[in-house]
Amino acid sequence: MILTEQNLGPIVMSKKPSVLVLGVEHPRDAATIRSLAKQGIAVDVADDKQPPTAMWRSSRYIRNKYVLPENAEKAVRALESLGLPTDTVLIPTNDQYLILTSKHHERLSRCYRVAVPEWSVLDPLMDKIKCHALGREVGIDTPEHYHPSSLVELDEVLEKLDFEQSAYVLKIRMWDSGAADALTLRRVVKGGADAGALKKECLEIYARNGTFPVIEQVIAGSADRCIGVSMVVDKSHEPVVAYCVQRLKLHTYAKGFFKHPYELGANAYCESVRDDEAIALATRLVKHARYSGAITVEFKRSPTDGRLKLIKGDARVVRATRLSSALGLDIPTALYDVFSSDEKPERRPETYREGVGWIWFEAYLYSLWKNRRETSMIGEIFRLLRRLPRIRAFAYFDWLDPLPSILLVTTAVGRLRRLETRGLTGETRPASG
């Protein structure tokens, strides 16, 4: 049974096709819902989250809310039975619904305009090994990586690794293949410092998931060497929007020091930059993959040879999507334009302002507090104050839709207090609502 709710808040209605957003638990969802609603597009949402998130509970921009079953087949049947107009644009915003929608593309295309490609196109981008293979086919460098299929292969891989000069992370090959960390459910974790520790971690992951993780060499250097190319690609596989961001602060999961520093974590602060080489490589990748939709292709520039290395492709909107609105290159609206009509959409301007900032304040401050013993709090706060004039986009906060942020902060403060009491702050991410 599908539970539904109606939001009686002030929503601007128009004759434009409506949107059904799948997933309402993350800054990327907040950006998508608000961007589209402010264009006069009616936005409905669906998710299986219980209890509901802050955005679900309080955003004035959501028209109808549908609670979906957790089971994939039941969720597809529920989507088929909603009875929404067939020109409704279906936009999945997280990996769970991205995979579900793509794998059932033919069925759902009878009821909606589906803003993701078929699984034959999406699978090679979401699969860590296949994505790197696509990159190498068009001349893009990738990190050294291995995916052993047996204990014998694992031992052979471990003999090749250079723990003196390199560090390694363990990644789950596909989103729905389990977690790399049983406690946090993260799909990427820092690997052990030697062959024995790494083998133990791989065996533990294998025992839980039934497959070994991908062992990937860390590209040395701090977060600011990461360049993300956010794009919307039309049905002829040409970008209609493309811009770059540089990560400047992470909500840190793990740190490491060997020959160069590195960090694992989620984006908490980034700024727009111009990197024509990264845009050209990302364009080459999506054309080769015959992809259409929203995607952010992430690279890291190696400190040893200066070359961009392909890290991954997130074939959906990402957490810093709100920055696209501040740049005048709104990703959700461009995605809507590609799939709401059969006409070829106009390409957005190729120029944009550099140095425009996006921040997830809750994650930024949480990471600052968690790492207070490893860095100068005064120095970090001073750097944040210097950045404030450049910040034009926020993960959750919106002057016209403030209640989700208020609920989020209240929830995050309560969780932080509980975690401090239990001594778990080093292992948990901030609440997303």
Side-chain angles (χ1 to χ4, degrees), residues 288-319:
H288 181 59
R290 302 188 60 78
Y291 180 78
S292 56
I295 187 169
T296 293
V297 182
E298 184 178 321
F299 300 95
K300 191 169 185 180
R301 195 172 289 281
S302 170
T304 56
D305 60 14
R307 295 174 66 88
L308 288 170
K309 312 287 185 179
L310 174 63
I311 304 300
K312 63 176 179 175
D314 283 325
R316 49 167 168 71
V317 292
V318 293
R319 71 182 64 232

Side-chain angles (χ1 to χ4, degrees), residues 131-191:
C131 182
H132 283 185
L134 282 175
R136 291 193 301 274
E137 287 170 8
V138 290
I140 302 174
D141 288 351
T142 64
E144 175 187 333
H145 61 271
Y146 306 91
H147 187 228
S149 60
S150 67
L151 185 57
V152 172
E153 286 188 19
L154 175 62
D155 288 334
E156 291 174 351
V157 168
L158 292 173
E159 290 180 2
K160 300 176 183 178
L161 304 185
D162 182 358
F163 290 93
E164 292 295 325
Q165 295 296 318
S166 297
Y168 300 89
V169 291
L170 304 178
K171 295 185 174 183
I172 298 305
R173 182 167 178 171
M174 182 67 76
W175 179 88
D176 56 0
S177 300
D181 188 309
L183 179 62
T184 65
L185 302 182
R186 295 187 185 111
R187 288 165 174 79
V188 182
V189 294
K190 177 184 174 184

Side-chain angles (χ1 to χ4, degrees), residues 59-265:
S59 175
R60 68 196 288 265
Y61 290 119
I62 297 173
R63 182 179 65 172
N64 297 314
K65 308 166 187 175
Y66 303 97
V67 179
L68 297 176
E70 292 186 13
N71 175 270
E73 175 58 30
K74 291 180 179 179
V76 172
R77 290 204 299 266
L79 289 170
E80 290 174 318
S81 67
L82 287 183
L84 296 174
T86 55
D87 63 355
T88 300
V89 182
L90 186 65
I91 300 180
T93 60
N94 61 28
D95 290 339
Q96 170 191 348
Y97 287 120
L98 189 65
I99 293 172
L100 180 141
T101 304
S102 184
K103 286 186 173 180
H104 298 88
H105 192 279
E106 183 179 356
R107 286 173 60 180
L108 292 172
S109 292
R110 300 169 192 160
C111 310
Y112 304 95
R113 289 181 173 265
V114 181
V116 296
E118 299 86 350
W119 186 242
S120 60
V121 173
L122 188 63
D123 172 46
L125 288 167
M126 295 198 70
D127 184 300
K128 301 293 187 298
I129 300 296
K130 294 178 182 178
C131 182
H132 283 185
L134 282 175
R136 291 193 301 274
E137 287 170 8
V138 290
I140 302 174
D141 288 351
T142 64
E144 175 187 333
H145 61 271
Y146 306 91
H147 187 228
S149 60
S150 67
L151 185 57
V152 172
E153 286 188 19
L154 175 62
D155 288 334
E156 291 174 351
V157 168
L158 292 173
E159 290 180 2
K160 300 176 183 178
L161 304 185
D162 182 358
F163 290 93
E164 292 295 325
Q165 295 296 318
S166 297
Y168 300 89
V169 291
L170 304 178
K171 295 185 174 183
I172 298 305
R173 182 167 178 171
M174 182 67 76
W175 179 88
D176 56 0
S177 300
D181 188 309
L183 179 62
T184 65
L185 302 182
R186 295 187 185 111
R187 288 165 174 79
V188 182
V189 294
K190 177 184 174 184
D194 55 45
L198 195 65
K199 181 175 181 178
K200 181 179 179 180
E201 292 163 346
C202 288
L203 291 175
E204 189 274 330
I205 293 171
Y206 179 84
R208 285 187 288 105
N209 298 339
T211 59
F212 287 108
V214 175
I215 302 170
E216 184 174 302
Q217 180 188 31
V218 171
I219 302 301
S222 53
D224 60 4
R225 302 193 72 87
C226 291
I227 299 294
V229 183
S230 289
M231 315 172 80
V232 172
V233 185
D234 67 19
K235 295 173 186 176
S236 62
H237 320 302
E238 296 285 343
V240 297
V241 170
Y243 66 91
C244 299
V245 300
Q246 179 183 28
R247 291 182 174 186
L248 295 175
K249 181 69 176 178
L250 299 182
H251 165 50
T252 308
Y253 302 155
K255 294 185 177 183
F257 297 92
F258 53 109
K259 193 173 182 179
H260 299 281
Y262 68 92
E263 295 176 301
L264 291 179

